[in-house]
Amino acid sequence: MLTLSAKLKTASIVAIAVASLSATPVLAEDITLWTLNFDNNAANTALKKVATDFEAANPGTHVEIVQRAVDEHKTALRVAAGSDKGPDIYFSWAGLGLGGEYVKAGLSLPLDKYYAEYKWSDELLPSAAAFADLYPGGKHGVPFTFKGEAVYYNKKLFEQAGIKEEPKTYDEFLAAADKLKTAGIPAFTFGGTVNWHVMRLMDVILETKCGAEKHDALKAMTLDWTKEPCATESFAEFAKWTKDYTLQPFMGIDNKQSYSLFTAGRAAMMLEGDWLVSQLNGSGANLDDYGIFPFPTNTDRLYGFAEYNYISTKSKSPDVAAKFLDYFLSTKVQQDLLGQLSSTSVNKNVQYANQKPLEAEWLGIFQKYGKVYMNGDQAFPLDVTTEYFRVINDVASGNTEPADAAKQLQSFIASRT
């Protein structure tokens, strides 16, 4: 028979054990992540490893990753937003356009309590985390990557055309394009069949011709596209580039074909993101053959965007989903992922070492620019993005005159009210 002292001791041990179990709940649920099938296969492999490692750290929990192409992913999310089923976590682009579409449709769960619980704001780059506060009704999503977009160029083709320095102003950039044209080298390659690839050229030209303040107002639809001369000037400049300086026939190819033409030396430049470094490296290209510089818009802003992971309102396990996102954002995991998802991390505590020259260039660019202007398909609501694509494509194809492009876009914007 146990003495009173022994009984109390045993009861104490049991109480401690119960308290311990209560304080550390066992995660044993399945969650599903819908994301992209990334062009950079290293990113696909790395993401699957994160899921596997999380499962190992949380026995009984399974993370199913469903990957789709860009357009199929968007379609799946729109269907989920209108149904009672969907993923636990989904990938989307931040901003009021694409990401905002799903927030507005009620697919995104506000994450304020998880930001407080996991202290994400203390761990994330402010520029990357800022997109969570764009939406009404609380914080939505956490950063997956923060992307910058700039001009990649073929050093040998620049040398062949007699271009000795990277252009620092827009006038110098035009002069370089003329030299390439004279040498019989297309300045740019784009893939027109995916809409958003050619959009990048229009976006940077708008920033150049309109400046930061007017560009933002046009994208926010608070400035009339027909009353602001720089809008029509931008469409005219865009038409000039697509006619005189772009590898033809770009409207019949996609972004992957455009990449292949660039690496084959068929065009001198691509307007791409920092992820292209890993893609080039993964395909066996000699990185020393390429250089990068921000598109010279004559403003102090970098072209770029953030990609986010959002917890879905359809999730039956939002706490487990948040736990997975916290694991993904942790310094250790982000350190391990460095260079596989992006050349820079969204975690401000990550250390950089043994960078490839192009990666070091990107880090220098990110350190230089404190302001960003977003891609049009993130700045606009979905329906306006679709019209923006249509107008851009028609101008690029020669079916719409630049003078009519601004009128058509503004007419569509006005019809929404």
Side-chain angles (χ1 to χ4, degrees):
M1 180 178 296
L2 293 175
T3 65
L4 178 60
S5 176
K7 289 180 179 179
L8 289 174
K9 184 177 180 180
T10 300
S12 177
I13 291 172
V14 172
I16 291 172
V18 171
S20 176
L21 289 171
S22 302
T24 311
V26 176
L27 294 172
E29 299 183 59
D30 293 348
I31 58 171
T32 302
L33 166 63
W34 286 5
T35 189
L36 297 186
N37 185 16
F38 298 100
D39 291 337
N40 171 22
N41 195 52
N44 298 321
T45 302
L47 190 58
K48 291 173 184 175
K49 184 178 185 301
V50 171
T52 300
D53 291 347
F54 178 78
E55 291 170 348
N58 298 276
T61 298
H62 175 65
V63 181
E64 180 185 3
I65 299 178
V66 179
Q67 294 180 278
R68 300 180 176 93
V70 172
D71 290 337
E72 287 78 5
H73 178 69
K74 293 177 185 176
T75 299
L77 288 178
R78 288 172 195 138
V79 172
S83 70
D84 58 356
K85 294 181 180 180
D88 295 280
I89 302 169
Y90 66 90
F91 166 101
S92 187
W93 296 262
L96 296 176
L98 289 176
E101 171 195 355
Y102 309 120
V103 173
K104 186 177 180 180
L107 185 60
S108 173
L109 183 73
L111 304 183
D112 300 72
K113 74 171 185 177
Y114 296 122
Y115 267 86
E117 177 182 350
Y118 293 113
K119 297 180 172 59
W120 285 333
S121 296
D122 294 337
E123 200 164 22
L124 297 170
L125 283 172
S127 55
F131 292 82
D133 295 316
L134 291 176
Y135 314 106
K139 290 180 174 291
H140 287 267
V142 295
F144 176 69
T145 62
F146 181 58
K147 305 288 191 180
E149 294 160 282
V151 178
Y152 287 77
Y153 68 96
N154 185 314
K155 293 179 180 179
K156 293 178 181 178
L157 294 182
F158 263 41
E159 182 179 354
Q160 186 177 329
I163 304 169
K164 298 180 180 179
E165 295 182 352
E166 295 176 354
K168 294 181 175 58
T169 67
Y170 186 67
D171 287 341
E172 290 177 0
F173 195 54
L174 279 177
D178 281 327
K179 287 183 178 180
L180 288 165
K181 183 178 180 180
T182 300
I185 303 168
F188 267 118
T189 176
F190 287 98
T193 63
V194 292
N195 295 317
W196 45 265
H197 211 231
V198 184
M199 173 203 70
R200 294 174 182 170
L201 180 60
M202 185 64 199
D203 286 344
V204 295
I205 289 175
L206 276 166
E207 180 79 1
T208 304
K209 290 294 182 181
C210 295
E213 185 175 346
K214 289 183 179 180
H215 184 191
D216 285 349
L218 287 168
K219 290 286 177 63
M221 300 178 291
T222 58
L223 190 61
D224 192 315
W225 286 71
T226 62
K227 294 180 180 178
E228 178 45 60
C230 76
T232 298
E233 291 172 11
S234 295
F235 278 114
E237 194 75 0
F238 171 77
K240 175 183 176 182
W241 275 93
T242 57
K243 178 182 177 182
D244 295 341
Y245 304 127
T246 306
L247 179 65
Q248 304 292 333
F250 66 96
M251 292 305 291
I253 64 174
D254 64 16
N255 57 308
K256 293 181 180 179
Q257 291 169 306
S258 177
Y259 169 80
S260 297
L261 291 168
F262 176 63
T263 55
R266 295 283 300 278
M269 294 180 283
M270 281 192 82
L271 181 53
E272 280 289 344
D274 54 284
W275 61 84
L276 198 72
V277 177
S278 295
Q279 191 174 345
L280 287 167
N281 190 52
S283 64
N286 184 356
L287 297 183
D288 293 336
D289 290 341
Y290 303 97
I292 53 173
F293 58 88
F295 193 99
T297 59
N298 304 333
T299 69
D300 62 350
R301 304 200 299 180
L302 178 66
Y303 189 40
F305 61 93
E307 298 169 326
Y308 266 41
N309 281 319
Y310 299 79
I311 295 181
S312 169
T313 53
K314 316 296 181 181
S315 175
K316 292 182 173 59
S317 305
D319 291 345
V320 182
K323 183 75 173 179
F324 174 76
L325 291 179
D326 182 61
Y327 179 79
F328 174 80
L329 295 171
S330 66
T331 302
K332 182 184 182 304
V333 171
Q334 285 292 307
Q335 190 74 59
D336 292 341
L337 289 173
L338 191 62
Q340 298 178 73
L341 299 183
S342 180
S343 59
T344 56
S345 171
V346 298
N347 184 309
K348 66 183 181 184
N349 299 315
V350 165
Q351 301 296 311
Y352 297 86
N354 302 318
Q355 285 188 304
K356 297 176 178 64
L358 284 182
E359 291 173 336
E361 281 193 62
W362 265 116
L363 185 57
I365 289 171
F366 284 128
Q367 291 171 340
K368 177 182 177 182
Y369 288 88
K371 299 177 182 178
V372 176
Y373 63 102
M374 290 189 296
N375 295 50
D377 57 1
Q378 294 189 44
F380 280 133
L382 175 63
D383 58 339
V384 181
T385 291
T386 302
E387 179 67 5
Y388 187 51
F389 285 161
R390 186 195 67 77
V391 172
I392 289 171
N393 290 347
D394 278 356
V395 172
S397 302
N399 297 326
T400 295
E401 292 297 319
D404 294 326
K407 295 178 183 177
Q408 292 181 18
L409 184 57
Q410 184 59 42
S411 176
F412 181 86
I413 292 170
S415 71
R416 300 173 72 247
T417 58

